């Protein structure tokens, strides 16, 4: 059912911020495993709860992300997903988060900074880009154990906020939209950075895809 998406760039495209070997393992193995585990968990759901499975399939016909967002709203009532709830939620979150993450990155450029609407909103809600970067890095560093730092927006007021989230939680479970995210699971940086998560977070600014953030913000 769900498929591992192809990257829009080569494994080496994000160097030196993220090395090619990390990208290969992260995409092919880690993300690939989330997809495989999600599909096997949904096979069980298909037998146990055919009506709910049919509803997920309807969203899936629209888009993979629509189906994942529908599933992740059950984070607030996991029992409705039955015995396999944790497996479904963890792996649906892993699949959605990584599908977004690859698009939130692009080849490094000098003076990479937001422009357009997202730049104005960052100035409005954080004072300036440097303050925003400091707060985002603090969220990335402060997340204890595995998780993500996210720049999110409130879909009605379009106010920006930075949050840290554990494991594979996605802001959609709280009705918020992710615009930019940094994976701070050790698998995302350990080969190159070992324990230096802060350096990884700093180098993220050279590869943050502000065009995609603007697309998500406008949608
Ligand atoms: Mn990851």
């Amino acid at each position: 059912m769900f498929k591992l998406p192809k990257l829009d760039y080569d494994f080496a495209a994000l160097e030196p911020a993220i090395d090619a070997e990390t990208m290969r393992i992260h995409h092919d193995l880690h993300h690939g495993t989330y997809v495989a585990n999600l599909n096997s968990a949904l096979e069980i759901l298909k037998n146990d709860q055919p009506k709910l499975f049919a509803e997920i399939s309807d969203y899936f016909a629209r888009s993979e992300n629509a189906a994942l967002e529908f599933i992740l709203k059950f984070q607030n009532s996991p029992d409705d997903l039955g015995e396999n709830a944790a497996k479904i939620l963890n792996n649906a979150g892993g699949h959605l988060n990584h599908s977004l993450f690859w698009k939130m990155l692009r080849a490094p450029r000098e003076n990479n900074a937001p422009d357009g609407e997202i730049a104005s909103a960052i100035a409005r809600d954080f004072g300036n880009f440097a303050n925003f970067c400091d707060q985002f890095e603090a969220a990335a560093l402060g997340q204890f154990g595995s998780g993500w730092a996210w720049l999110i927006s409130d879909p009605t007021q379009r106010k920006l906020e930075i949050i840290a989230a554990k494991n594979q939680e996605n802001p959609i479970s709280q009705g918020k939209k992710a615009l930019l995210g940094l994976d701070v699971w050790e698998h995302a940086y350990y080969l190159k950075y070992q324990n230096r998560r802060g350096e990884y977070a700093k180098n993220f600014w050279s590869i943050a895809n502000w065009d995609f953030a603007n697309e998500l913000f406008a949608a």
Side-chain angles (χ1 to χ4, degrees):
M1 189 173 180
F2 288 95
K3 282 201 178 74
L4 179 64
K6 285 208 170 73
L7 293 178
D8 298 330
Y9 41 76
D10 296 337
F11 292 136
L14 307 176
E15 290 192 350
I18 302 177
D19 60 289
E21 183 64 354
T22 295
M23 284 300 293
R24 186 187 66 77
I25 295 169
H26 198 175
H27 175 269
D28 290 4
L29 305 183
H30 288 276
H31 190 177
T33 301
Y34 294 126
V35 174
N37 287 345
L38 174 60
N39 287 333
S40 75
L42 289 176
E43 271 304 311
I44 298 168
L45 186 81
K46 189 179 178 178
N47 292 320
D48 292 354
Q49 297 191 60
K51 264 182 77 178
L52 179 56
F53 183 83
E55 212 177 341
I56 294 169
S57 301
D58 286 346
Y59 280 98
F60 186 85
R62 221 182 294 166
S63 77
E64 286 212 12
N65 283 11
L68 292 169
E69 289 181 2
F70 172 73
I71 292 170
L72 289 171
K73 293 198 173 138
F74 286 92
Q75 192 88 55
N76 306 306
S77 55
D79 292 349
D80 296 347
L81 287 175
E83 270 176 54
N84 259 318
K87 188 172 178 189
I88 294 171
L89 289 168
N90 289 338
N91 289 291
H95 184 26
L96 180 61
N97 289 345
H98 289 82
S99 299
L100 290 169
F101 186 49
W102 310 132
K103 289 182 176 296
M104 289 169 171
L105 306 173
R106 63 183 175 192
R109 40 184 86 182
E110 259 178 70
N111 305 315
N112 186 36
D115 55 8
E117 264 206 283
I118 194 94
S120 318
I122 284 173
R124 180 194 66 203
D125 295 335
F126 301 98
N128 57 53
F129 182 51
N131 273 342
F132 160 77
C133 292
D134 288 347
Q135 287 182 42
F136 189 94
E137 286 172 37
L141 256 180
Q143 170 56 33
F144 186 76
S146 298
W148 292 74
W150 294 110
L151 169 65
I152 60 173
S153 83
D154 179 290
T156 48
Q157 303 183 331
R158 304 187 84 228
K159 189 170 164 32
L160 301 183
E161 214 185 317
I162 291 166
I163 59 161
K166 65 175 158 44
N167 298 326
Q168 295 298 356
E169 287 178 3
N170 183 284
I172 197 73
S173 304
Q174 319 305 326
K176 302 289 173 75
K177 191 200 285 183
L179 304 178
L180 189 72
L182 183 63
D183 188 344
V184 297
W185 284 57
E186 286 183 346
H187 68 227
Y189 62 87
Y190 213 82
L191 274 185
K192 181 180 167 80
Y193 295 95
Q194 292 85 45
N195 63 329
R196 304 187 307 280
R197 190 193 280 186
E199 193 183 323
Y200 162 67
K202 270 207 188 315
N203 289 343
F204 170 60
W205 301 122
S206 66
I207 55 169
N209 187 346
W210 292 109
D211 291 335
F212 188 55
N214 263 315
E215 267 177 50
L216 293 169
F217 192 43

